[in-house]
Amino acid sequence: MTPLIRKANKSAEAAHKGQKRDSGEPYITHPRRVRNILAKHGLPEYVQIAGLLHDCLEDTHLSEEVIGEKYGEDVLLLVKGMTKGKTNYYLQLLAYAEEDNNIIFLKMADRIDNLRTVWSWDTARQMKYLEETFYLYDKLFKAFLDTVPDKDLYFRRTYEDMITELIEGIKILGEKLSNK
């Protein structure tokens, strides 16, 4: 872990202090797992930092100014792209992907972790999340891949590895819900 990632980890931990996930675990566990997924797939430092900070604008006191000053405009762009705005969120993600396609990996890592940790949610919420994730996969992730040149092998390989994890999460949740 680089010094800047450590710094972002401390910022995220302080920002999410006292917050809990529905499971009761400290909220910081989610951004840390998202960052770990991104690191496992070899994504750059700034994308991993954005993974740690991806919920901060929406859920904490950290401002765009602070994130931009401490971690740079590349990180801020991804964090802003992950923050649900007033417009269609899926169109927002595509717009941010035009500036930095790593937002697709960040969104996939967020979904992968959430699919692994939805067990404390009620069935209706799990089903809604599963449907949203399938929509993201079917409409956004697959469509975005069509825009990537065949020669961009790194992107395609990373995409395929992460999509495999995402599909596994969809299958596990889908099987659980079908057994209820």
Side-chain angles (χ1 to χ4, degrees):
M1 194 181 302
T2 68
L4 197 55
I5 291 174
R6 277 198 230 32
K7 179 180 173 184
N9 183 54
K10 287 181 182 177
S11 291
E13 184 173 24
H16 289 294
K17 186 175 182 169
Q19 293 179 347
K20 301 275 186 195
R21 292 188 46 93
D22 290 339
S23 63
E25 67 185 343
Y27 193 86
I28 189 62
T29 59
H30 169 64
R32 284 178 177 156
R33 287 190 303 255
V34 169
R35 184 253 156 200
N36 289 342
I37 291 166
L38 295 165
K40 177 178 113 180
H41 291 285
L43 282 125
E45 177 188 59
Y46 81 96
V47 180
Q48 294 179 44
I49 291 168
L52 286 165
L53 302 173
H54 78 275
D55 284 331
C56 285
L57 290 180
E58 212 167 352
D59 298 337
T60 77
H61 65 278
L62 275 184
S63 67
E64 289 183 19
E65 293 76 25
V66 169
I67 292 171
E69 286 172 17
K70 282 186 172 185
Y71 304 104
E73 293 302 313
D74 291 341
V75 171
L76 179 59
L77 176 79
L78 294 178
V79 173
K80 283 171 57 177
M82 290 290 288
T83 303
K84 291 185 177 124
K86 294 179 175 109
T87 61
N88 181 309
Y89 182 58
Y90 305 110
L91 294 177
Q92 175 185 311
L93 280 171
L94 280 175
Y96 277 91
E98 287 180 14
E99 293 188 55
D100 187 338
N101 61 17
N102 284 307
I103 192 145
I104 299 297
F105 296 133
L106 179 53
K107 186 63 190 172
M108 282 199 283
D110 180 48
R111 284 281 158 162
I112 289 165
D113 182 62
N114 281 330
L115 281 167
R116 293 174 178 165
T117 59
V118 297
W119 311 117
S120 60
W121 300 356
D122 65 62
T123 303
R125 187 172 171 204
Q126 289 178 16
M127 183 60 81
K128 183 176 186 244
Y129 197 79
L130 180 64
E131 289 169 0
E132 287 173 359
T133 303
F134 188 76
Y135 179 85
L136 273 171
Y137 166 69
D138 190 50
K139 302 295 185 209
L140 181 69
F141 298 153
K142 283 172 34 180
F144 185 73
L145 186 61
D146 291 341
T147 69
V148 176
D150 288 338
K151 65 183 179 182
D152 192 346
L153 295 178
Y154 171 78
F155 183 91
R156 288 185 169 278
R157 181 174 296 130
T158 303
Y159 176 91
E160 288 168 7
D161 290 348
M162 289 186 78
I163 215 68
T164 299
E165 279 189 67
L166 185 70
I167 291 170
E168 185 61 28
I170 290 171
K171 284 181 187 174
I172 291 168
L173 182 56
E175 287 169 7
K176 179 184 181 276
L177 290 170
S178 68
N179 290 330
K180 285 193 171 186

